[in-house]
Amino acid sequence: NAGVMQNPRHLVRRRGQEARLRCSPMKGHSHVYWYRQLPEEGLKFMVYLQKENIIDESGMPKERFSAEFPKEGPSILRIQQVVRGDSAAYFCASSPTTRQGNEKLFFGSGTQLSVL
Amino acid sequence: DQQVKQNSPSLSVQEGRISILNCDYTNSMFDYFLWYKKYPAEGPTFLISISSIKDKNEDGRFTVFLNKSAKHLSLHIVPSQPGDSAVYFCAASATRGGSNYKLTFGKGTLLTVNP
């Protein structure tokens, strides 16, 4: 009965390096969402994906950030050439269908990214 | 521009008493509201929700009240228990329109329940 699995839990990168964050949704869930929580802030929507499709990436920074959810394997959030301002907690959530009404998102424990 | 505001960063109550957490929103399109609880080093977990067609929803010790005219909602926890100590996030979404899946979160309120 595994929930949403994110790895790594903690990731340390130096400025200019790449960060790859992984998310395996709950079994049977085909919708994945990434949220970012900056220090002292609430969670902010980044991107919504279904298998092999990006549905809404309106919350993603236009440069350096990309996300994918391949047919096989976990969803990946990729940050190229990280800067200190990317330091945050990145949460993945999944749902069985598009969230409507009483659907609730199930969140993973997050990846804490620290950029030195 | 913060569309969902939780103006109290922290709240401290005694065990057994009532905890009241408040949330205000500005976007008139929001019609579905949720509360999430978050422990340190864990992801948020769903607590309770309310649709804008209601003004109250109750689940055990947790009750959410919605005042649409004031664009205000509150979460009541009675009686409060030490295990309720966590950060509580208010979240909102607009279920009509094309982006009903997108939640807008407040900054959270740290609740501490003292034994």
Side-chain angles (χ1 to χ4, degrees):
Chain A
N1 187 22
V4 178
M5 303 300 292
Q6 289 189 250
N7 68 82
R9 290 296 303 273
H10 302 275
L11 183 60
V12 180
R13 286 287 178 265
R14 296 191 179 280
R15 281 179 297 170
Q17 292 184 318
E18 178 180 288
R20 281 183 179 241
L21 289 65
R22 294 174 184 77
C23 169
S24 296
M26 284 183 70
K27 187 176 181 180
H29 286 194
S30 58
H31 300 252
V32 165
Y33 315 80
W34 285 92
Y35 282 77
R36 176 167 71 172
Q37 185 183 21
L38 294 168
E40 310 298 323
E41 297 288 327
L43 284 75
K44 292 197 186 319
F45 170 82
M46 297 182 74
V47 61
Y48 161 39
L49 309 105
Q50 295 178 23
K51 285 285 187 181
E52 300 184 279
N53 284 305
I54 297 174
I55 308 302
D56 181 349
E57 56 182 349
S58 59
M60 290 262 278
K62 294 288 183 280
E63 297 178 350
R64 303 185 298 108
F65 284 72
S66 63
E68 62 176 8
F69 188 17
K71 187 177 180 181
E72 301 290 339
S75 175
I76 305 287
L77 180 66
R78 182 184 179 203
I79 312 172
Q80 295 178 289
Q81 299 174 322
V82 296
V83 301
R84 288 217 173 106
D86 297 333
S87 296
Y90 291 81
F91 291 96
C92 171
S94 71
S95 68
T97 62
T98 301
R99 223 203 111 258
Q100 293 178 351
N102 288 325
E103 294 286 347
K104 288 98 183 170
L105 298 185
F106 294 86
F107 281 88
S109 297
T111 293
Q112 181 64 52
L113 173 64
S114 298
V115 180
L116 305 179
Chain B
D1 70 342
Q2 259 190 285
Q3 297 186 64
V4 176
K5 299 179 184 178
Q6 294 178 256
N7 291 321
S8 297
S10 62
L11 174 67
S12 183
V13 299
Q14 285 299 121
E15 180 178 5
R17 306 295 289 268
I18 184 171
S19 296
I20 300 176
L21 295 94
N22 293 302
C23 178
D24 298 291
Y25 62 97
T26 58
N27 189 338
S28 300
M29 297 299 292
F30 289 151
D31 59 355
Y32 193 70
F33 305 90
L34 308 91
W35 285 93
Y36 282 84
K37 181 166 80 170
K38 184 183 179 304
Y39 292 117
E42 294 184 12
T45 55
F46 170 77
L47 192 58
I48 192 169
S49 62
I50 188 167
S51 166
S52 61
I53 62 174
K54 294 185 175 182
D55 55 18
K56 176 182 174 182
N57 189 25
E58 193 172 351
D59 184 1
R61 296 185 298 114
F62 303 91
T63 303
V64 56
F65 295 92
L66 175 63
N67 182 335
K68 287 189 293 294
S69 60
K71 293 192 175 67
H72 177 84
L73 61 154
S74 60
L75 174 68
H76 293 212
I77 307 174
V78 181
S80 302
Q81 300 173 353
D84 296 330
S85 297
V87 176
Y88 288 79
F89 289 101
C90 173
S93 71
T95 61
R96 289 182 291 273
S99 58
N100 57 323
Y101 48 81
K102 195 182 297 186
L103 290 180
T104 301
F105 283 84
K107 290 187 177 183
T109 296
L110 173 62
L111 173 66
T112 303
V113 180
N114 301 303

